[in-house]
Amino acid sequence: MSALAQGLCSRVTWVGNPAADRPIVDVSLEDTSEAKDPLVDAIPVRHTNRTLMFRGPGLTPSGKKAIEAAAQHVPRCALSWLDETPLRSVAARLARTAETERFRVQNLHEELFSCVRFDLGWSATCTQGLRPGALGVEVPLRLPFRLLGRWGVMRTLKTLGAHHGLGFRSAGLPVSLAPNVAVVSSDLPFPWSAVEGGRAVQRTWLALALRGMAVQVFAAPAIYANEANTDVRGNLRAELVRDWRALLPEGHRPVMLFRIGRAPEPRVRTGRQPVESLLDLQPDS
């Protein structure tokens, strides 16, 4: 998308067998006369907002159609709204169940906290890892939250059922209270669904940012429902898959769950790595 603003377009080619354990995607940039995508203007302002309470008003019907169009620009991807009470209840349960598992199981817990840069404090900036200040943790709860990053502490609290409360507070409750809830899905098989669905997720997020909406994404409910994920219990995956079937178009896989509303911008946001750090730039010989 940024490339279009520079007169370039990206071409994606799968190298080898995409169904293999380590699929490889080759992305090349080519000259193009395509017009600049207006969503590119939202890239610098797109961010995650983890404020507990999102307020209204929610999106209007015409606003929803515009967001849908952004997602459906990617073939075989869809955006489904989950605002009706029965659908929202299922979405909140999916978010809570997946987030609870992240506090219940050691390897998932370690994955959750491994990227949080507690060493930087709550106000410092960084481009590697996740700034603690961007997590939306209230000041009185910051020390307890940091202690939760130690598995020994979490394992003890788990015997008291604390993982259920954490899953509810961090995912179930925010989804229940949001003015709008939506999910991006795809009917492509994995891993194609991850790549193309990821494009639809970014387009959805950028379209929402252009309208000044606060957004928080929840990846775990979709990732843990994927049969390629071997880190979660089979019965948990079956539970998630069953609930997703009630929300998605026939044959679709979930890619990302969104909660959407309005909230003040977070004071601390995670920085982005410079583009140059992601490219292997070789001088001309």
Side-chain angles (χ1 to χ4, degrees), residues 97-98 101 108 224-225 232-241:
T97 300
E101 193 74 357
L108 300 180
Y224 296 171
V232 298
R233 297 173 288 125
N235 56 340
L236 172 72
R237 184 182 301 110
E239 179 183 345
L240 296 174
V241 169

Side-chain angles (χ1 to χ4, degrees), residues 13-262:
T13 304
W14 289 92
V15 179
N17 178 13
D21 290 340
R22 297 177 63 85
I24 299 175
V25 177
D26 178 73
V27 181
S28 60
L29 298 176
E30 305 171 1
D31 291 333
T32 182
S33 58
E34 291 182 48
K36 167 188 167 183
D37 192 317
L39 295 181
V40 72
D41 294 331
I43 291 176
V45 299
R46 179 192 64 80
H47 62 278
T48 297
N49 193 317
R50 296 180 176 86
T51 303
L52 174 60
M53 295 286 292
F54 282 3
R55 63 182 186 273
L59 290 162
T60 63
S62 61
K64 287 184 176 182
K65 287 187 180 298
I67 306 301
E68 290 171 23
Q72 292 166 357
H73 181 83
V74 183
R76 301 183 66 176
C77 292
L79 179 71
S80 302
W81 297 100
L82 310 176
D83 295 337
E84 295 181 12
T85 300
L87 301 180
R88 180 188 294 270
S89 297
V90 177
R93 182 169 67 241
L94 280 161
R96 173 180 52 77
T97 300
E99 202 68 16
T100 296
E101 193 74 357
R102 300 178 83 187
F103 289 100
R104 193 191 73 82
V105 178
Q106 182 175 2
N107 64 319
L108 300 180
H109 171 272
E110 291 174 352
E111 178 186 66
L112 172 64
F113 282 94
S114 63
C115 63
V116 181
R117 295 290 305 276
F118 287 117
D119 59 302
L120 298 177
W122 290 85
S123 58
T125 184
C126 66
T127 57
Q128 295 280 352
L130 184 60
R131 299 163 65 179
L135 297 176
V137 179
E138 295 83 356
V139 173
L141 299 178
R142 287 181 175 179
L143 178 58
F145 182 80
R146 182 168 185 172
L147 292 174
L148 290 176
R150 302 176 182 176
W151 175 244
V153 173
M154 188 64 240
R155 181 175 54 199
T156 300
L157 293 175
K158 187 177 67 170
T159 62
L160 304 174
H163 54 303
H164 293 292
L166 291 166
F168 175 72
R169 164 59 181 82
S170 59
L173 183 61
V175 170
S176 296
L177 298 176
N180 298 117
V181 180
V183 58
V184 168
S185 63
S186 173
D187 67 354
L188 289 164
F190 185 81
W192 290 271
S193 60
V195 175
E196 297 303 314
R199 293 177 58 212
V201 166
Q202 289 298 330
R203 292 186 62 83
T204 299
W205 203 341
L206 292 171
L208 289 165
L210 276 182
R211 285 161 177 77
M213 304 302 291
V215 176
Q216 183 178 6
V217 294
F218 298 90
I223 293 174
Y224 296 171
N226 193 313
E227 66 274 8
N229 191 316
T230 59
D231 293 330
V232 298
R233 297 173 288 125
N235 56 340
L236 172 72
R237 184 182 301 110
E239 179 183 345
L240 296 174
V241 169
R242 183 190 65 239
D243 279 347
W244 277 122
R245 285 199 187 109
L247 303 180
L248 300 178
E250 183 69 27
H252 273 236
R253 299 166 178 258
V255 179
M256 189 72 74
L257 181 67
F258 290 77
R259 74 169 176 124
I260 304 158
R262 301 181 189 275

